Structure formats: structure tokens, C-alpha cells
Amino acid sequence: MDATELYRKVLLSIAGNKLVEKLSLKYGRKLASKFIAGDTLSEALDEIEVLNRKGIMVTLDHLGEGIQALSEAAGYKEEYLRLVDGIAERKVNSNVSLKPTQMGLALDPEACFGNIRAVVSRAQKHGNFVRIDMEDSPFTQATIDIVLRLHKEGLTNVGTVIQAYLHRTENDVKRLIEAGVNLRLVKGAYKEPGTVAFQQMSEVIDNYKKIIRMHLDKGIYTAIASHDDRIISWVKDYARANGIPKDAFEFQMLYGLRMSEQERLAKEGYRIRCYMPYGTMWHPYYTRRLAEKPANLWMVLKNMFK
């Protein structure tokens, strides 16, 4: 295990520590704005317009996960309906991302399905697409089941996320490709045990390349979410070597990270999409961003003790 892998595991392990959470909530909100477009939908839509003018597409996400009551899920559903309508009214180039636990998956799976279905149905009326985000492994199968159920009902404007670090991923990709489900391919950002996930980054990257190839070789539109220059360069080289056009795939990156690189990719003619969150429930998302890169945590620590 190299130093970066160790850093990530340690930070994700201490993220639930009450003292760490208290310090982060006290000092981190201002710094979290680096990764979050704003507290309100209006602020987020304004920022989407800025990115669209630079040739960058967006996936808009309203922050929230791990709710305690179904009434919270109902509130999130209503915000997502406003979000979908807002994208249509402003005519911005953005689709939608939501988390199933935000919609009640851990509390009442059927109520969760109803909430998600309402959002996907509204998006379909506007000709838009909804990405159901993938959370940690206890929710993997339930999330896949929701997407497949929606497809069977004719709501095919919905896809999900596949995490390369899970042992089950290759089989999931085969099944979902056969079902015609649009996938966002990622390495994975949760702390998982060795029984369900690869623990060595080299294994994760090998599996990540494998599932990317599974898409590109079949001519399936591919969403590759990574800030890793090695992955981005490898995809470019693989596409050129195999005659795969630039409009057959898109790169995806997070809001606030490598924004100049996102602009550069757009200028090179690649399709690039920025995952943009907004809202006040920023802490869990922010913690995962810190875990991805030591420099992000160093920035926080310097400002905490000024």
C-alpha cells in the first residue's frame, strides 16, 4: 500500500469521528465552497450557465444522504422536481444526479422507488436524463434493481454508476449493458472491506480499464469519471488507436477540481461533464473530496489554524 492509499483509508476511517466532524463543520464550510456551487438552486443554475459557455456540460446534484425520516425524502423529491424544471426553464446543458438513500432507500425501499420514479418521470417529460448515484456496497444491488425496474416501466432516461473497486463490478457491467443502461464508470470513493472490494489501487485501475474497454469496444456511449491523468491519457490513446470518435464518450470531473483541465479538454474537442453539487448538506460529500487528495486536506488544515 502506497502513501496515497494509506492516507485515503485513514481519512475515511476517521471521518465519522465526532471531534473530526465538529472541527470540519466549524472550519470547513467556507473551504467546502470550492467543491459546491452554492446553497440554492438558483446559484447552481447560474454557475451551470458559466460552465456551459466554456463548453462544459454539467450533472447537477442536490446534496443529501443518510436521512432519518421519510418526510426528509419527500422534501428532497420536491427539490429535485424543482431542479428538473429549473434546468428546462433555463435551457442549460445539464442532467441530474441523485442518491437513493436521500430518497429513502434505507428506510422504505418502495417509498424510495416512488420518489425516484417521480423525478425520472418529470425528467423524461423534459427530455432529460437522471443518474442514480451509487453509494457504499450495502446499497449496490438495491440501486441496480431500481434502475432495471424503471427501465422495464419504460423510463429509460435513467442510469447509474458502477464502481471499479468492487469485485462484483464486471458481472454487473455485463448485465447492465445487456439491459441498455447508461453507466457512469468510476473507481469508487467509499471505505470497503477486502471481502467486497479490491484493496490495491493497481487492481482497481486494471478493473477500471477493463470496464471502460467493455463499453468502448461495443460502441456504447461511455461516461468516464476520473481526475487521473493516467486514465485520461490511456482513454485518449485507446480511442485513437481503435478509431473511436471523440463523441463516443465523455470525461467527467468534479466541480472545483481541475477546472482548467476541464476547459482544456473541451477546447480539444472532447465531451466533458462537470459533476456539480449544491445545497447545505455538504459535510459527507466534502469529507470524501478530502480523502481523494492529500493537498485538499492540507488546504483545510492551513486555514483552520490561521
Side-chain angles (χ1 to χ4, degrees):
M1 183 185 299
D2 63 24
T4 301
E5 290 179 61
L6 179 61
Y7 160 82
R8 180 177 177 276
K9 290 179 182 296
V10 169
L11 188 59
L12 288 174
S13 295
I14 68 174
N17 181 280
K18 293 300 181 182
L19 176 59
V20 172
E21 182 173 352
K22 183 178 179 180
L23 287 171
S24 181
L25 288 170
K26 182 176 180 180
Y27 295 103
R29 180 61 184 94
K30 183 178 179 180
L31 294 163
S33 63
K34 172 181 172 66
F35 307 115
I36 297 166
D39 290 342
T40 68
L41 174 60
S42 177
E43 291 172 323
L45 291 170
D46 288 344
E47 188 63 13
I48 292 174
E49 289 184 341
V50 172
L51 293 187
N52 284 173
R53 287 195 290 270
K54 297 176 180 178
I56 300 171
M57 306 176 291
V58 172
T59 289
L60 188 58
D61 172 81
H62 183 236
L63 290 170
E65 55 193 277
I67 61 170
Q68 302 299 313
L70 285 177
S71 58
E72 296 176 70
Y76 281 125
K77 179 193 75 174
E78 293 303 318
E79 177 66 13
Y80 265 95
L81 294 175
R82 289 191 290 271
L83 183 162
V84 170
D85 290 341
I87 289 173
E89 290 166 6
R90 295 279 287 267
K91 295 182 172 59
V92 291
N93 188 343
S94 176
N95 58 31
V96 180
S97 176
L98 59 81
K99 283 183 167 55
T101 60
Q102 184 181 26
M103 294 292 170
L105 181 58
L107 302 177
D108 186 332
E110 196 59 31
C112 170
F113 179 81
N115 288 332
I116 292 176
R117 190 186 190 285
V119 176
V120 175
S121 180
R122 180 73 62 87
Q124 188 182 65
K125 291 177 182 177
H126 288 305
N128 209 340
F129 176 82
V130 176
R131 179 81 63 193
I132 300 181
D133 207 352
M134 188 62 73
E135 299 173 88
D136 49 348
S137 59
F139 300 107
T140 300
Q141 188 60 52
T143 301
I144 290 173
D145 290 344
I146 288 170
V147 174
L148 292 174
R149 182 177 171 186
L150 288 167
H151 270 245
K152 287 179 180 178
E153 292 189 10
L155 293 169
T156 57
N157 62 314
V158 61
T160 189
V161 180
I162 288 295
Q163 300 163 319
Y165 68 174
L166 296 180
H167 297 312
R168 61 176 289 167
T169 287
E170 184 176 352
N171 288 331
D172 286 337
V173 168
K174 290 177 181 177
R175 181 186 179 197
L176 291 166
I177 285 177
E178 290 177 0
V181 176
N182 182 296
L183 300 176
R184 178 178 192 249
L185 307 180
V186 304
K187 290 178 184 175
Y190 292 88
K191 185 177 183 292
E192 299 282 6
T195 53
V196 299
F198 297 113
Q199 301 298 297
Q200 299 299 318
M201 186 54 67
S202 60
E203 295 177 299
V204 176
I205 290 174
D206 287 345
N207 206 39
Y208 194 30
K209 289 180 178 178
K210 179 186 291 186
I211 62 176
I212 293 171
R213 284 195 302 268
M214 288 168 67
H215 278 70
L216 294 177
D217 290 350
K218 289 179 177 291
I220 298 169
Y221 188 78
T222 310
I224 302 147
S226 178
H227 297 95
D228 189 333
D229 283 329
R230 295 168 299 175
I231 294 295
I232 293 168
S233 295
W234 176 83
V235 171
K236 288 179 176 181
D237 292 342
Y238 191 84
R240 280 193 295 266
N242 291 276
I244 298 167
K246 290 179 179 179
D247 62 1
F249 58 92
E250 67 183 47
F251 293 112
Q252 297 188 357
M253 295 187 184
L254 300 172
Y255 180 78
L257 291 176
R258 307 200 70 188
M259 298 307 296
S260 60
E261 175 68 6
Q262 295 186 42
E263 289 186 49
R264 188 177 69 81
L265 286 167
K267 288 176 181 177
E268 290 179 358
Y270 290 100
R271 293 172 61 82
I272 176 72
R273 187 178 300 278
C274 181
Y275 180 94
M276 178 189 291
Y278 77 95
T280 58
M281 301 299 291
W282 53 270
H283 184 259
Y285 178 83
Y286 180 51
T287 300
R288 288 195 294 277
R289 299 296 74 78
L290 296 183
E292 288 170 350
K293 188 177 180 183
N296 292 340
L297 180 59
W298 179 239
M299 177 184 67
V300 173
L301 293 175
K302 285 194 297 184
N303 283 272
M304 279 171 57
F305 297 106
K306 279 184 177 179

